[in-house]
Amino acid sequence: MLFHVRMDVRIPHDVPAETAARLKAEEKARFQELQRSGKWRHIWRVVGEYANYSIFDVDSNAELHDLLLSLPLFPYMQIQVQALCRHPSSLHDDDR
């Protein structure tokens, strides 16, 4: 199942810089792990914002939910999720 996810990150200003840096490094490592597994297929930065648009390829709503909860920056995110399905005119066979 494909999902379009927007993530807006809002780390409070009172979080110590060292803590924020550690969380960002842990987030990057987790992201790269999920990208290598094929679960996090694409990510795009939103210009001028601490936000991204991503495409996830997971087996269920519950798997996506658990995956998002596993992100180190999850407590500081506002997340919007939209389920996607293959368009009948798509030329790409991997748009499932």
Side-chain angles (χ1 to χ4, degrees):
M1 298 175 70
L2 294 177
F3 292 90
H4 173 267
V5 179
R6 178 179 169 124
M7 291 178 249
D8 292 270
V9 181
R10 294 189 176 88
I11 300 173
H13 295 290
D14 60 348
V15 171
E18 305 81 31
T19 301
R22 178 182 50 78
L23 286 169
K24 290 175 186 179
E26 290 172 1
E27 183 81 12
K28 182 177 180 179
R30 179 69 176 132
F31 158 72
Q32 290 177 340
E33 174 188 342
L34 292 166
Q35 193 171 34
R36 280 195 234 26
S37 77
K39 299 292 182 182
W40 199 326
R41 288 182 57 181
H42 301 283
I43 187 170
W44 294 272
R45 187 180 281 172
V46 179
V47 176
E49 299 180 37
Y50 193 175
N52 72 75
Y53 285 107
S54 294
I55 302 294
F56 289 86
D57 188 356
V58 294
D59 293 328
S60 68
N61 296 338
E63 182 182 9
L64 178 63
H65 181 78
D66 291 343
L67 184 152
L68 293 172
L69 286 174
S70 78
L71 299 175
L73 288 174
F74 177 80
Y76 307 108
M77 290 182 180
Q78 179 178 5
I79 300 174
Q80 298 173 342
V81 177
Q82 294 178 317
L84 301 173
C85 63
R86 186 178 189 283
H87 193 283
S89 298
S90 177
L91 295 176
H92 302 284
D93 292 333
D94 65 343
D95 291 345
R96 40 185 178 109

